[in-house]
Amino acid sequence: MVKLENVGYQIGKQWLVRNINVTIENGALWGLVGPNGAGKSTLLRLISGELLPTTGEVRIFGKPIQSYPPKELARIRAYLQQKRDINFPFTSLEVALFGRHPYLNGTKETVDDVSIAKGALQRVEANMFEERLYPTLSGGEASRVDVARILTQAPDLFLLDEPTNHLDPRYQVRILNLCKTICSRGKTVITAIHDLNLASMCADQLLLLKDGVSVASGPPQTVLTLELLSEVYNIPFDVLPHPDGHLWVMPTVDLS
């Protein structure tokens, strides 16, 4: 379980997030949605422990996040940042193996560690890149290797900042289906996502943010409404039922 109680984060006089109260149960897939600058990435950084809140408390699995030793925290939560530049000539397999670092205790990777990394690359259909140097990959190929790295970490909590960036539709759906599979096994995924249709399709619950404040939270059907979306994004929307049960969301734009 992840619990945020009155969580806020301030830089100077500016609050990047403020008064966030939410409880995220194990086995759920939560989507953080909202416009640029809404506080999605900051909130993920607070939940990951990279940032400490100015106000309130973040608790993971019943304990304040700052109470975890770094290595223990790295074993229970993985954080996929939005900007993920690796310019050194590591192979894709070596990048995936970074996820085993919390388990190595200063020793070299074992055969089992390599097997876990290879399996993670296969799950994201990136096993054909094992020997390719990471800097030579396309944006989408590198994104899949990055996801393999956090799978290799084998945490109970996955924090993903725009995991579908650079991916074509096939791999967007592939990665989000993988997130659903992860949750079906009792683990938790919290992801920032800009595509409201993908959020509607995959998320169990959404947290809608604007200017660092929670505007609404709940199932997609209660959050992705005309009124709330227009308020948050400052443009009108069309929201229609999709045949498979989720919502189809599009901004209403006059291109004439």
Side-chain angles (χ1 to χ4, degrees):
M1 177 188 292
V2 176
K3 190 167 187 177
L4 284 71
E5 297 179 331
N6 195 35
V7 168
Y9 184 74
Q10 185 179 28
I11 296 180
K13 295 182 179 180
Q14 182 180 6
W15 288 91
L16 301 187
V17 296
R18 193 167 189 177
N19 299 330
I20 302 296
N21 292 278
V22 65
T23 299
I24 298 174
E25 301 290 345
N26 297 341
L29 199 166
W30 275 71
L32 308 181
V33 294
N36 295 332
K40 302 183 295 296
S41 295
T42 299
L43 197 56
L44 285 175
R45 294 173 70 189
L46 288 163
I47 298 171
S48 76
E50 180 183 333
L51 300 176
L52 293 180
T54 306
T55 62
E57 185 176 66
V58 177
R59 299 178 70 87
I60 295 181
F61 306 123
K63 294 171 56 177
I65 192 161
Q66 65 268 26
S67 71
Y68 286 97
K71 185 172 289 187
E72 183 182 356
L73 185 60
R75 290 179 177 180
I76 64 173
R77 72 91 181 92
Y79 174 37
L80 182 69
Q81 297 177 316
Q82 186 178 147
K83 296 180 180 179
R84 310 184 287 270
D85 292 330
I86 299 176
N87 295 316
F88 291 97
F90 294 112
T91 67
S92 296
L93 179 58
E94 288 171 330
V95 171
L97 277 167
F98 291 166
R100 300 307 298 165
H101 181 73
Y103 303 93
L104 297 182
N105 297 315
T107 61
K108 185 175 175 57
E109 298 92 347
T110 66
V111 172
D112 287 343
D113 292 318
V114 174
S115 178
I116 291 170
K118 285 177 174 281
L121 287 166
Q122 188 168 16
R123 290 178 73 185
V124 297
E125 298 183 31
N127 50 305
M128 68 286 290
F129 308 137
E130 282 185 12
E131 301 305 319
R132 282 268 304 276
L133 295 180
Y134 181 93
T136 71
L137 300 176
S138 72
E141 291 167 345
S143 289
R144 283 147 57 197
V145 173
D146 293 331
V147 173
R149 172 175 53 82
I150 64 166
L151 291 174
T152 302
Q153 197 171 333
D156 293 316
L157 173 63
F158 291 77
L159 305 172
L160 313 178
D161 198 348
E162 298 291 341
T164 56
N165 271 1
H166 308 298
L167 298 179
D168 63 37
R170 174 191 173 188
Y171 287 111
Q172 288 179 343
V173 172
R174 173 80 174 177
I175 294 303
L176 292 174
N177 279 338
L178 180 59
C179 291
K180 297 289 283 186
T181 299
I182 289 169
C183 292
S184 73
R185 296 172 180 171
K187 300 179 184 294
T188 303
V189 176
I190 307 172
T191 179
I193 187 166
H194 271 298
D195 190 313
L196 297 175
N197 286 299
L198 290 177
S200 171
M201 180 178 70
C202 74
D204 299 312
Q205 302 282 322
L206 295 177
L207 178 61
L208 179 61
L209 298 165
K210 181 181 182 182
D211 298 328
V213 176
S214 171
V215 175
S217 66
Q221 290 78 7
T222 67
V223 173
L224 300 178
T225 68
L226 292 173
E227 295 77 16
L228 287 173
L229 293 175
S230 298
E231 172 191 345
V232 167
Y233 290 93
N234 295 317
I235 57 171
F237 277 83
D238 290 319
V239 179
L240 302 171
H242 191 277
D244 72 1
H246 70 262
L247 297 176
W248 184 78
V249 183
M250 284 292 292
T252 305
V253 181
D254 184 1
L255 299 178
S256 60

